[in-house]
Amino acid sequence: MSAKTPKNKPNTKELLTLSLNELMLKKEFKDISISEICENAHVSRMTFYRHFDDKEDIFVTHCDDTFETFFSECQKLANPTTEEIVLYMFSFFKKCQPQINILKKAEKQDILVKQFYFYSRYILCKIPSIREHFDLDNKVIFAFLAGGIFNILMRWVDNGMKETPEYLAKCLLDVFKNT
């Protein structure tokens, strides 16, 4: 019988992500080697490559996991309105400020905008209250939403996230009402 892993113990992917984040407090992303990430996480390079292709892949995987959490939590809302989803989105990303700051520091915002593009399409296609407002065959809409939300988020992060999620949701929804 194998020993059970405590529920709060990070898995290997989480350890490698935490390791990179810790190292980025001391060094620039470009100056961090995979060997350093592995050494700091107490795992072998072979283990690293079992989970990731390169150190940028840590960011991609973390973004994927974050967006999957967001989408999963959105699905738990009972018949959410567009307003509730947009407000929830900004509230959710406010909690992600440290991770967004790490991406910005590493100058890897392009990963975030790509994920926004993919997941905005994913969310629009899956949530009826949003789907009814958009022509889902129009890929320009997805690019517009991903780029717009990305730019709002980056401006918000640059400003220390001083505005409330309610204020940002209202601003974004006003854009849709005025088009």
Side-chain angles (χ1 to χ4, degrees):
M1 182 147 86
S2 63
K4 292 187 177 181
T5 304
K7 289 183 181 183
N8 61 353
K9 183 180 178 190
N11 64 33
T12 304
K13 286 169 68 172
E14 292 169 331
L15 285 173
L16 290 163
T17 301
L18 290 170
S19 175
L20 176 59
N21 291 346
E22 285 175 13
L23 291 167
M24 285 186 61
L25 294 173
K26 302 171 193 167
K27 301 171 81 168
E28 294 295 319
F29 177 78
K30 63 180 175 50
D31 297 329
I32 298 170
S33 69
I34 290 173
S35 294
E36 288 175 290
I37 295 168
C38 294
E39 184 178 316
N40 193 46
H42 305 290
V43 300
S44 70
R45 284 179 65 92
M46 183 185 298
T47 300
F48 177 92
Y49 286 111
R50 229 179 274 136
H51 296 283
F52 301 109
D53 294 330
D54 54 36
K55 62 185 182 178
E56 281 189 3
D57 198 27
I58 293 173
F59 289 138
V60 172
T61 301
H62 186 70
C63 283
D64 282 343
D65 292 346
T66 300
F67 278 105
E68 287 295 330
T69 299
F70 169 76
F71 185 71
S72 173
E73 290 181 15
C74 282
Q75 286 187 311
K76 292 177 187 174
L77 300 172
N79 295 323
T81 65
T82 302
E83 290 80 7
E84 289 171 324
I85 298 281
V86 171
L87 174 60
Y88 181 74
M89 176 186 66
F90 285 114
S91 298
F92 182 87
F93 285 111
K94 185 166 180 79
K95 293 184 261 178
C96 297
Q97 183 179 12
Q99 293 88 355
I100 295 168
N101 284 335
I102 287 169
L103 274 174
K104 283 189 66 145
K105 181 180 178 194
E107 298 179 355
K108 297 297 176 190
Q109 300 96 313
D110 60 315
I111 293 170
L112 193 55
V113 78
K114 286 176 189 172
Q115 301 307 92
F116 264 115
Y117 180 80
F118 175 77
Y119 282 97
S120 65
R121 181 176 175 86
Y122 190 57
I123 290 166
L124 288 170
C125 290
K126 300 288 184 185
I127 299 174
S129 68
I130 292 177
R131 192 175 60 224
E132 68 190 35
H133 295 288
F134 299 99
D135 173 8
L136 298 179
D137 294 325
N138 186 343
K139 293 181 182 179
V140 173
I141 294 296
F142 300 118
F144 170 77
L145 287 173
I149 292 169
F150 171 77
N151 284 311
I152 290 169
L153 183 60
M154 291 299 102
R155 187 204 149 279
W156 193 30
V157 168
D158 288 344
N159 196 31
M161 290 187 155
K162 292 177 186 168
E163 298 91 349
T164 65
E166 292 80 7
Y167 172 78
L168 291 171
K170 180 186 178 321
C171 290
L172 184 58
L173 291 167
D174 284 348
V175 169
F176 295 128
K177 288 177 188 171
N178 294 322
T179 57

